[in-house]
Amino acid sequence: MPQPLSSRESALFRQLIRNYDTKQYKKGLKAAEQILRKNPDHGDTTAMKALIINALGKTDEAFALAKTALRSDMKSHVCWHVYGLLYRAVGNFEEAIKAYRFALKLESDSPQIQRDLAFLQMQMRDYQGYAASRLAMVQARPGIRQNWSALAIAHYMAGDLAAAERVLTTCEETLKQPTSKSDVEYSEALLFKNTIIAGRGEYERALEHLEAVRPRILDRTSFLEMKAEYLLQLKRNEEAEHVYRALLSRNPEDRAYYQGLRQALQIDENDRPAVVKLYQEFAEKEPRADAPLRIPLDYLEGDDFREAARRYLHRMLTKGVPSTFANLKALYGSTFKKDTIQALVEELASGRDDAVSPTNEENGNQNENGEESKKANAKADSEGKTLELSAIFFLAQHYNYHLSRDLDQALEHIERLLKRTDDSTPASSMVDYHMVKARIWKHYGDSQKASETMEYARSLDERDRYINTKAAKYQLRNDENERALSTMSKFTRNDTAGGPLGDLHDMQCMWYITEDGESYSRQGRHGLALKRFHAVFDIFDVWQEDQFDFHSFSLRKGQLRSYIDMLRWEDRLRSHPFFSRAAIGAIQTYVHLFDQAQASHGGALTNGVHDGEDDQAAAERRKAAKKAKKDQQKKEKEKEREKEKANVNAKTSSTTESQANASGKGAPKPPHKIELDPDGAKLLETTEPLKDAMKFLNPLLEFSPELIDGQMIGFEVYFRRSMFSLRTKSPPKILMLETEKYLLALKCLHAASKLDRDHPKLQQQIDRFEQQGQRSLFDPK
């Protein structure tokens, strides 16, 4: 039981909790010291002091205080709760859950401890435990809708849809109070329940429920989409057709709606005339929509395709739409369509297309109406010029594209286009033209000219953030790291700790950090490369950690379906392309460090596995290891002194801020993290590079198994880890573990061959594998 306090000190303790909640940490520490002066063994106060100390960045000291609090009062739920919060803060979720559960044994009705335990269980995807915690919260407070919603989500994520539906039904029966028609939370709960019913395959009942709750649904688009899907599943095609037409009247650009309408009309995808007729109907009904004109190009062939493509190109290029090529390049998988588009655009670029020139009848009408004729002529001239320039721009992109690449032609067309420009050409168009020119130089392999051209494009519109980032990206590709950072600094907060680079890390600008790391890797500056790749890895850890905020926020706002989508997205978070790029870059660097150490030390670095050696060699190795240990200890002492010096500077710089906080004028800013290893030197000191590479390799292979580069770099790591062990005089258990690494290398090789058997590097890996004689050791023949 908590130790009793006097009334004055009890008031101080309540003030201490308020100070912590409002982040007035200096005031909180002062209140804690006042209590502990008279009650030095008061566990709850010591625990709250530990929380404040942890918030100030002193984690080790906070843990020591929390243990002291527990020794003072082992039966205090506050002490155990704080102990769990500290473990959660450092990412040790298993220990945090143990502490929360012990706290609940002492105070089973504490809503705060129940919530913290439940959020942690959801973070770890312990759905059964989460359901049990939420059930206890529902039983304790059945009048709160969030508790019911959370319990339903727990069952839904665990795969028990029937239980999830029962929970929501019971919630509706229990909470009898009427809700307003604008209650978003209630509307989302109804849609979530309907999703559960449909997920059980009961589409008839799902449709009936959807119609029954229709007046309370605020998301009309979701309502119509769900209704259309259910009608399709129930083969009620005529009704589904009406719903899809209603959806298309709302958004005529959504391809999924057209596909749904096609299925409702029972039009086979291979029945091209019927499909094209369907899209023509909407092209006439929605003349400004792009989708009903663009999608038929996927189906049409021969002369029909040529005419439809001619109309589409003339329409888009006359308007000067710069994304026309990006919209059509998906058709280049067909050689006929690619060649047809090229021929049509060349006609437009040369002015040979009939649609450009007015007819004789139009000329006669223009002569009859003088003023109108001048306006019409001016408009025709303007459209004709726009059409010609847009066609040349299209051709430059066409010849630059990898399926139709002719870089000489691409450069010729972009130069021709730039010669046709004048002062009246919009700045945005000039930027687009020079961007394409920079891409052409990039494909030539001339990164210097590509960087210079993109920088010139940036100078044409210095307020455009997109072209600014493009210029920085091309500078990084040309290994101009400092210049790229200077370019990025035009749109960053440069007064933050770490300057522009620190702000880019704070904003989690992954594309820049990844490109920067790859640039340093090309330059052989492996410490900085690893520093950047680890920064990307840490960003994904932060995203994983950020779920904690949404476990409560999404329930509070009632966004149940969005919350479930977020959970599923988080589950596949590390399949993101930027994680894959950073992981592959880091692993390649670690493999290089391993190979470099092998070459320079004659095989002394083998990730902890050594060949048979004589006594003299062993003695020399022990001597070298002892010297390396002394050097390492010396470096650590130097870094400790640097750390202490940095802490002193940080305290000095925060004096004014602390005074403001002590006077109650506001919460302090979190302490700036002092970067003690800006160049990544500590990362280069690793003695087990292949082991460090596994930090990146395991999630890479787990979440991106279809990535051939990931499988091939996985082979490189596992092959090296097993290559030495199979020749040593290792004990049987060690040999078994190393054999497992060999099998993992073989698994990666097999996966890569399935993905792309003709990959140029794959055969090299197979040859190396066979040359080592590994295959014969395990070949059953």
Side-chain angles (χ1 to χ4, degrees):
M1 293 293 292
Q3 301 169 15
L5 293 172
S6 66
S7 58
R8 181 176 178 278
E9 287 157 352
S10 296
L12 268 176
F13 185 75
R14 290 192 294 272
Q15 181 64 42
L16 164 61
I17 294 174
R18 284 195 294 272
N19 289 335
Y20 174 75
D21 290 338
T22 57
K23 299 183 179 180
Q24 293 182 315
Y25 299 134
K26 296 294 182 181
K27 278 190 172 184
L29 281 177
K30 185 177 179 182
E33 293 296 342
Q34 284 182 272
I35 298 170
L36 291 173
R37 207 172 291 135
K38 291 187 177 180
N39 301 271
D41 296 328
H42 191 252
D44 291 1
T45 302
T46 307
M48 288 303 302
K49 182 180 177 181
L51 268 186
I52 293 174
I53 291 294
N54 184 64
L56 293 172
K58 302 174 183 178
T59 304
D60 294 338
E61 188 178 339
F63 268 101
L65 275 174
K67 289 175 182 177
T68 302
L70 282 172
R71 282 194 294 268
S72 300
D73 194 350
M74 285 286 289
K75 294 185 178 181
S76 168
H77 70 277
V78 173
C79 294
W80 283 104
H81 188 195
V82 167
Y83 202 46
L85 290 173
L86 293 179
Y87 270 120
R88 199 201 88 170
V90 298
N92 192 339
F93 299 148
E94 291 82 3
E95 291 297 325
I97 286 177
K98 289 178 186 177
Y100 289 155
R101 283 179 172 158
F102 207 98
L104 281 175
K105 287 180 183 178
L106 300 169
E107 187 73 19
S108 58
D109 296 332
S110 171
Q112 185 61 53
I113 301 174
Q114 287 177 333
R115 273 197 303 271
D116 286 343
L117 174 60
F119 292 154
L120 204 51
Q121 288 167 327
M122 177 56 86
Q123 183 79 4
M124 297 184 69
R125 302 300 188 263
D126 177 11
Y127 297 126
Q128 299 300 334
Y130 183 65
S133 297
R134 283 297 179 178
L135 179 59
M137 295 173 73
V138 166
Q139 290 170 345
R141 292 168 185 77
I144 300 177
R145 184 190 294 165
Q146 292 176 25
N147 292 339
W148 292 96
S149 299
L151 180 57
I153 287 173
H155 289 304
Y156 181 81
M157 295 302 291
D160 191 349
L161 302 188
E165 185 185 350
R166 282 196 303 272
V167 167
L168 291 175
T169 302
T170 307
C171 174
E172 293 169 4
E173 295 169 354
T174 303
L175 303 177
K176 294 293 186 180
Q177 67 269 29
T179 58
S180 67
K181 291 185 178 181
S182 60
D183 190 339
V184 176
E185 186 179 348
Y186 184 58
S187 170
E188 283 295 315
L190 292 173
L191 286 173
F192 177 50
K193 181 179 179 180
N194 190 261
T195 302
I196 293 171
I197 298 171
R200 300 179 67 186
E202 300 180 25
Y203 295 107
E204 186 70 50
R205 191 161 68 87
L207 183 59
E208 291 173 1
H209 174 264
L210 194 64
E211 291 292 354
V213 300
R214 179 176 184 171
R216 306 306 305 272
I217 301 298
L218 300 179
D219 187 348
R220 302 304 297 171
T221 301
S222 292
F223 171 83
L224 290 172
E225 289 174 346
M226 295 165 81
K227 182 178 179 180
E229 181 187 349
Y230 301 157
L231 289 169
L232 269 186
Q233 292 289 343
L234 295 169
K235 307 298 182 186
R236 292 162 62 173
N237 295 324
E238 187 174 344
E239 295 173 71
E241 176 192 346
H242 291 307
V243 179
Y244 275 117
R245 288 186 181 278
L247 284 167
L248 282 167
S249 67
R250 284 169 163 255
N251 180 10
E253 301 289 355
D254 195 315
R255 283 182 173 239
Y257 296 164
Y258 288 105
Q259 294 295 330
L261 179 59
R262 180 183 60 76
Q263 293 176 36
L265 293 170
Q266 297 180 297
I267 298 174
D268 188 86
E269 192 173 9
N270 296 320
D271 186 358
R272 291 175 177 172
V275 172
V276 172
K277 184 178 179 182
L278 172 65
Y279 285 107
Q280 286 176 345
E281 174 191 340
F282 281 92
E284 294 170 2
K285 188 183 296 184
E286 303 284 350
R288 299 181 66 181
D290 178 75
L293 294 173
R294 166 61 186 84
I295 298 175
L297 299 179
D298 294 335
Y299 297 95
L300 291 170
E301 296 289 344
D303 292 339
D304 293 334
F305 172 82
R306 183 177 287 103
E307 290 306 312
R310 182 192 299 276
R311 289 193 299 271
Y312 184 79
L313 285 165
H314 192 277
R315 177 178 187 262
M316 300 297 282
L317 298 180
T318 300
K319 293 180 179 179
V321 179
S323 61
T324 304
F325 177 77
N327 205 14
L328 290 176
K329 65 183 181 182
L331 300 171
Y332 279 34
S334 165
T335 303
F336 167 76
K337 292 183 178 182
K338 176 186 67 177
D339 295 341
T340 301
I341 289 171
Q342 176 181 328
L344 290 171
V345 179
E346 283 176 345
E347 283 184 14
L348 294 172
S350 63
R352 297 196 306 270
D353 187 74
D354 294 339
V356 178
S357 304
T359 62
N360 292 333
E361 184 180 352
E362 288 172 340
N363 285 330
N365 291 336
Q366 289 170 7
N367 291 333
E368 293 174 4
N369 306 294
E371 192 62 35
E372 290 183 9
S373 130
K374 289 180 181 178
K375 290 181 180 179
N377 269 331
K379 183 180 179 182
D381 290 342
S382 174
E383 288 183 351
K385 182 180 179 180
T386 302
L387 175 62
E388 185 178 354
L389 294 179
S390 298
I392 299 171
F393 183 51
F394 186 101
L395 286 172
Q397 296 173 85
H398 166 85
Y399 287 116
N400 189 43
Y401 189 53
H402 70 97
L403 291 178
S404 52
R405 183 159 293 165
D406 184 340
L407 294 178
D408 291 340
Q409 283 286 337
L411 190 60
E412 180 183 332
H413 279 86
I414 203 67
E415 292 290 3
R416 174 184 166 194
L417 178 64
L418 290 171
K419 287 178 182 177
R420 296 287 305 275
T421 58
D422 51 36
D423 293 340
S424 64
T425 306
S428 60
S429 297
M430 293 296 293
V431 169
D432 290 338
Y433 300 161
H434 282 91
M435 282 176 65
V436 170
K437 185 177 180 180
R439 290 193 189 102
I440 295 169
W441 285 121
K442 178 185 75 172
H443 293 142
Y444 265 119
D446 193 337
S447 58
Q448 179 65 37
K449 281 189 176 180
S451 173
E452 291 171 356
T453 306
M454 194 64 80
E455 171 61 20
Y456 179 74
R458 186 200 65 78
S459 68
L460 296 174
D461 189 353
E462 296 186 351
R463 293 176 296 178
D464 188 330
R465 186 187 293 266
Y466 175 74
I467 184 59
N468 190 80
T469 58
K470 272 290 185 183
K473 181 178 179 180
Y474 274 59
Q475 287 160 356
L476 287 173
R477 296 277 176 91
N478 195 39
D479 297 334
E480 301 173 276
N481 304 77
E482 295 301 324
R483 190 178 181 191
L485 187 60
S486 175
T487 301
M488 290 299 294
S489 69
K490 302 178 188 303
F491 287 91
T492 58
R493 294 176 57 189
N494 302 327
D495 56 345
T496 58
L501 184 61
D503 191 47
L504 289 168
H505 279 76
D506 290 343
M507 293 191 296
Q508 301 176 339
C509 187
M510 285 196 300
W511 76 262
Y512 181 89
I513 300 171
T514 305
E515 291 281 355
D516 203 27
E518 291 173 346
S519 173
Y520 283 128
S521 184
R522 288 191 298 269
Q523 298 173 55
R525 301 169 71 179
H526 300 300
L528 282 166
L530 286 176
K531 193 74 178 172
R532 300 295 181 264
F533 296 140
H534 276 271
V536 175
F537 188 94
D538 293 341
I539 287 172
F540 281 88
D541 279 348
V542 170
W543 287 359
Q544 194 83 26
E545 182 77 12
D546 284 347
Q547 287 181 81
F548 275 117
D549 298 331
F550 291 94
H551 294 323
S552 58
F553 175 82
S554 299
L555 292 174
R556 191 168 65 250
K557 295 296 183 181
Q559 300 298 317
L560 308 184
R561 295 178 301 151
S562 298
Y563 176 55
I564 289 170
D565 289 342
M566 185 272 293
L567 291 175
R568 288 173 173 164
W569 177 79
E570 287 278 3
D571 288 341
R572 60 178 188 275
L573 176 63
R574 287 176 176 80
S575 64
H576 195 285
F578 274 122
F579 181 85
S580 301
R581 281 179 62 184
I584 290 172
I587 296 166
Q588 287 173 338
T589 304
Y590 279 123
V591 167
H592 173 78
L593 293 178
F594 178 82
D595 292 344
Q596 193 177 49
Q598 286 294 310
S600 60
H601 298 298
L605 180 62
T606 57
N607 252 23
V609 178
H610 300 273
D611 292 338
E613 56 190 355
D614 55 24
D615 293 339
Q616 184 178 355
E620 290 177 358
R621 184 171 58 80
R622 285 194 296 270
K623 185 177 179 181
K626 189 175 180 180
K627 185 177 182 299
K629 186 177 179 181
K630 283 184 179 180
D631 293 342
Q632 180 67 22
Q633 288 173 345
K634 186 178 178 181
K635 288 179 181 178
E636 286 176 359
K637 286 180 181 179
E638 289 176 358
K639 287 181 180 179
E640 275 299 320
R641 285 195 291 270
E642 289 176 7
K643 187 176 181 181
E644 289 174 6
K645 185 178 178 182
N647 286 337
V648 170
N649 292 337
K651 286 179 182 177
T652 304
S653 64
S654 62
T655 301
T656 306
E657 181 184 291
S658 300
Q659 291 173 350
N661 177 55
S663 62
K665 293 182 180 178
K669 296 178 182 178
H672 290 309
K673 185 178 179 182
I674 306 300
E675 181 56 74
L676 299 177
D677 186 27
D679 297 327
K682 191 173 181 180
L683 293 170
L684 286 178
E685 292 172 1
T686 178
T687 57
E688 296 183 321
L690 297 184
K691 184 178 178 182
D692 293 341
M694 295 304 297
K695 172 183 176 180
F696 293 88
L697 183 60
N698 286 331
L700 177 66
L701 294 179
E702 180 183 354
F703 294 103
S704 302
E706 75 291 344
L707 194 65
I708 188 168
D709 289 337
Q711 297 292 347
M712 294 177 73
I713 197 65
F715 166 81
E716 296 292 347
V717 173
Y718 288 127
F719 182 68
R720 282 166 172 76
R721 296 188 76 187
S722 62
M723 184 170 55
F724 301 98
S725 306
L726 291 173
R727 300 176 186 168
T728 64
K729 301 173 182 178
S730 302
K733 287 185 179 179
I734 297 179
L735 184 59
M736 188 183 302
L737 291 173
E738 300 305 328
T739 301
E740 183 181 344
K741 295 171 188 173
Y742 152 78
L743 292 174
L744 290 171
L746 185 60
K747 182 181 177 182
C748 288
L749 203 58
H750 181 64
S753 65
K754 276 189 171 182
L755 292 169
D756 186 0
R757 188 64 182 82
D758 299 325
H759 194 284
K761 292 184 179 179
L762 181 59
Q763 189 56 49
Q764 297 175 14
Q765 291 186 334
I766 293 172
D767 292 342
R768 284 168 49 212
F769 184 80
E770 292 176 347
Q771 285 170 9
Q772 288 298 327
Q774 310 248 22
R775 180 178 174 185
S776 61
L777 288 173
F778 296 91
D779 194 339
K781 296 180 181 179

